Amino acid sequence: MRIAVIGAAGRMGKYLIQATAEAEGVTLGAAILRPGSSLIGADAGEIAGVGKLGVVTVDSIEECAESFDVLIDFTPPGLTIQNATACAQLGKAVVIGT
């Protein structure tokens, strides 16, 4: 299963990337940051402190839709609703931890 983490540079986002890197049966497929972040284009593994994973950070769900099966979302409630709507339109599963 390919996981996408939204808020990848935040405390929980980094933890989720670390956990995904260590877990069996899942891979990090996408890492999403807020638009305008200076970290867009960086390797998600390096941001999370686990070394290069070959997953470049992007600023929208749509930009990486072909790279993941399920989105893990710990964003604020207003953004969570937008993210869940985007996932529904793309036919993607979402896990909400907000």
Side-chain angles (χ1 to χ4, degrees):
M1 178 167 302
R2 300 169 304 158
I3 305 294
V5 174
I6 193 158
R11 184 181 59 219
M12 184 57 75
K14 290 176 185 177
Y15 174 76
L16 290 167
I17 291 169
Q18 292 168 359
T20 301
E22 296 171 3
E24 291 185 29
V26 297
T27 59
L28 183 67
I32 307 160
L33 303 173
R34 64 176 165 71
S37 171
S38 63
L39 296 173
I40 292 171
D43 187 278
E46 290 184 326
I47 292 171
V50 296
K52 285 192 178 216
L53 295 176
V55 176
V56 176
T57 56
V58 298
D59 67 357
S60 74
I61 293 169
E62 294 79 8
E63 188 173 346
C64 60
E66 297 303 316
S67 300
F68 73 93
D69 303 306
V70 62
L71 175 79
I72 301 178
D73 186 324
F74 274 86
T75 62
L79 290 175
T80 298
I81 292 169
Q82 292 175 11
N83 297 334
T85 300
C87 285
Q89 291 171 344
L90 294 167
K92 304 291 182 174
V94 61
V95 174
I96 299 171
T98 303

